[in-house]
Amino acid sequence: MEASAIAAMASANALNQVQQEVSVEVLRKALDIQGESAMQLLQAIPQPPAPAVGSTAGGIVDTWA
C-alpha cells in the first residue's frame, strides 16, 4: 500500500470521526430543546380549581350504575 493511500485513508477516517461527533452534538442539542419545550407546555397547563370545602363533587363514583 502506498503512503499516499494510507494518508488518504487516515484523513477520511478522521473526517468520519469528526462528522459523527458533530452529529451526536446536534442530536443532544435537539433533545435539550425538545425537553425545554415539553416543560414549557406542561407549565402552561392550567391547574384545576380546588374543590369547595365539604363538597363531594367528583369524589364519589357510582360503579353500580
Side-chain angles (χ1 to χ4, degrees), residues 5-41:
I6 293 172
M9 285 177 48
S11 179
N13 190 19
L15 179 63
N16 253 353
Q17 185 175 358
V18 169
Q19 287 174 336
Q20 286 177 349
E21 290 172 3
V22 169
S23 294
V24 169
E25 282 302 313
V26 168
L27 178 61
R28 282 187 185 145
K29 293 228 184 250
L31 290 174
D32 288 344
I33 291 169
Q34 202 171 35
E36 289 172 10
S37 297
M39 287 304 297
Q40 288 176 353
L41 287 173

